[in-house]
Amino acid sequence: MELNFEKTKITHATTDRAKFLGIEIRITPDEKKPIREVSRGGKTYVAKTTTRPQLLAPISEIIEKLRARGMVRKGFSPTRWGRMIPFETHQIVNLMRSIWLGLWNFYGIADNAHKLGVIFNMIRMSCVLTLASKLNLGTKAAVFKKFGRNRTIMGKDRKTGND
């Protein structure tokens, strides 16, 4: 078997992370392993528990990709996605929803999946700001007032685009 050295990384999993299919893999370092007391035969022992490999979503890389698309500013605050303004409102919501669902379906298995909530909020607010620009509503509050918190928007075919 021949290895492609540009794609192959040999590393120690407790000191460095390896990437496989966009997910970072590591093992908990020794200093972060939980310590517990074990009693056997009347004696108490202190032992470090073993941990399993961790699969981590690269949150900063995902945010950087959203920034490259124009959905997030450099300071990681959501912004209007200008190239989506010409589209219908239900198309904007459906596209933003599909972006979020794609990320969640792929990275939902990660051990830090709870941090994807930050990304969900960025996509959600970008959608709201895009709708505010498209409909000349001005603020996020005006969009929420018009469409509700979950932005239920009916398309021409009477299908909803929910977020």
Side-chain angles (χ1 to χ4, degrees):
M1 179 199 278
E2 290 185 32
L3 299 176
N4 183 341
F5 290 107
E6 294 175 11
K7 295 181 180 179
T8 304
K9 180 178 184 180
I10 299 173
T11 185
H12 195 283
T14 58
T15 59
D16 198 9
R17 297 177 181 189
K19 259 188 141 171
F20 182 70
L21 296 177
I23 295 180
E24 296 175 351
I25 303 169
R26 75 166 188 181
I27 295 179
T28 307
D30 288 334
E31 62 271 5
K32 291 187 178 180
K33 288 184 180 178
I35 298 173
R36 65 180 188 156
E37 292 184 0
V38 179
S39 297
R40 288 192 185 136
K43 292 185 179 181
T44 303
Y45 302 97
V46 176
K48 284 189 178 183
T49 59
T50 58
T51 57
R52 62 180 175 76
Q54 293 179 321
L55 305 175
L56 304 171
I59 302 298
S60 59
E61 289 181 19
I62 296 169
I63 293 172
E64 186 58 36
K65 287 182 182 177
L66 292 177
R67 192 187 70 71
R69 276 188 164 182
M71 298 168 69
V72 177
R73 289 189 188 120
K74 194 167 188 163
F76 299 129
S77 62
T79 187
R80 293 157 177 78
W81 194 8
R83 64 178 235 188
M84 290 304 297
I85 292 174
F87 290 92
E88 297 287 329
T89 55
H90 69 280
Q91 291 173 322
I92 294 169
V93 173
N94 285 336
L95 178 65
M96 299 280 198
R97 184 173 188 267
S98 67
I99 290 170
W100 163 246
L101 288 176
L103 288 169
W104 177 252
N105 286 333
F106 189 77
Y107 292 112
I109 62 163
D111 291 307
N112 64 344
H114 62 281
K115 291 184 178 180
L116 290 173
V118 172
I119 293 170
F120 171 74
N121 192 46
M122 287 181 179
I123 294 172
R124 182 174 181 247
M125 287 301 122
S126 179
C127 180
V128 169
L129 290 168
T130 304
L131 290 174
S133 287
K134 175 172 183 54
L135 302 172
N136 295 322
L137 294 176
T139 64
K140 294 184 282 191
V143 174
F144 286 128
K145 185 176 179 182
K146 181 171 176 130
F147 295 112
R149 280 282 179 215
N150 292 325
R151 286 166 312 293
T152 302
I153 298 173
M154 301 297 274
K156 289 180 182 175
D157 56 359
R158 306 301 298 162
K159 291 185 179 177
T160 62
N162 292 332
D163 210 85

